[in-house]
Amino acid sequence: MKNLLKDNKVLVEKFRSIRTPFYYYDTELLDKTLQAIKNETDKHQGYHMHYAVKACTTPKVLSHITKAGFGADCVSGGEIQACLDAGFPASEIVFAGVGKSDWEIELGLKAGIQYFNVESIPELEIINEIAGSMQKVANVSFRINPNVGADTHANITTGLAENKFGIAMEDMEKVISLANDMKNIEFVGLHFHIGSQILEMDNFVALSNRINELQDRLERNGFQTVKNINVGGGLGVDYANPDENPIPDFKAYFDTYAKHLKLRPGQQLHFELGRAVVAQCGSLITKCLYVKQATAKKFVIVDAGMTDLIRPALYDAYHKIDNLTSNAQEDVYDVVGPICESSDVFAKDYSINATKRGDLLALRSAGAYGEIMASQYNCRSLPKGYTAEDII
Ligand SMILES: *Cc1c(COP(=O)(O)O)cnc(C)c1O
């Protein structure tokens, strides 16, 4: 199996002259991934992708995504601004989040975003009020909590009744009636998002069934057919095998919705994939500082830490690690960072090519929720993000 990073000798040689740690984004793989998504969405009438910007906001990455014709799903005013700066048309931006500040609502209205995904009645009232004061009409979708679980880590399920997100399914008639009576609100859609790193299509079938039930019920109760259904994101990637499966199974994902979700004539179906778009194209490149033989274990101490990639510490996440500059026989190590926290561990009892000081290591599949979650804890500088265009 070809290693997409390690076998690119020219690239690895270039890496040697860049200060570590840093993120590297393979924009050729990103473009292929975007094309694979388009090939599938083009097969179905009314399907449209809004990339979930929170996964990665590196400007070059955003610029490839907007050039591919995708919209953007934002969860903060800062993300809206980053998307506008990267060239996304405001009319292609949607805005979700349980706690939108007034200035963020104003920014969205001023820019003229496509719609707000509203998560509560108090939020709806404030958007109506702010839109009124700006003499504008806000397009709103309601984020609905479908009470559908996802077979994923407890910290990344979002669609259960116990989660803070969305409005209960039972309350929809009341909320839609409220919106219909508001002067500065235009009700345009229903929004859902059940979690992240979902690989079992059954979860998306369950979501489709809930949406079908809700649409049937709303129609029976005399409500208008909504313009857009938005099913959020959540499709997972193969963290264990980034070289075998660099591009997620988008066909299975979109075909699941095509088969199970009953769209009404003229209705648009919006998707908000984040991880599946960018995870596999990104790697965190780090240097081995020391190999330390402790009583019971051998440690590879690298110059990247949980401040650069927090997923292992936060979610117990697995990232494949390659030693890019050694082909020596494999040895077993704990790969750890320099941060003063015991959870600053990338992998335990991990087999990689025998490693020495100065070797370059790659933490693979780090394009999503990697660089953007970096912090400056321990007064560290934020990692930079480079693409092939920057380096070669
Ligand atoms: C995070 C998020 C997404 C993207 O999730 P992925 O698992 O990265 O695809 C989509 N929609 C909303 C509302 C989100 O909060």
Side-chain angles (χ1 to χ4, degrees), residues 245-263:
N245 295 312
I247 298 179
D249 191 351
F250 293 116
K251 182 173 182 346
Y253 175 74
F254 289 107
D255 283 356
T256 298
Y257 281 108
K259 181 160 174 220
H260 295 277
L261 184 66
K262 296 195 194 84
L263 278 191

Side-chain angles (χ1 to χ4, degrees), residues 52 54 73 96 143 191 193 195-197 233-234 272-275 369:
K54 75 173 189 284
D73 159 44
R143 176 161 181 182
H191 176 240
H193 173 67
S196 203
Q197 185 53 18
E272 300 172 335
L273 294 179
R275 188 189 309 273
Y369 309 106

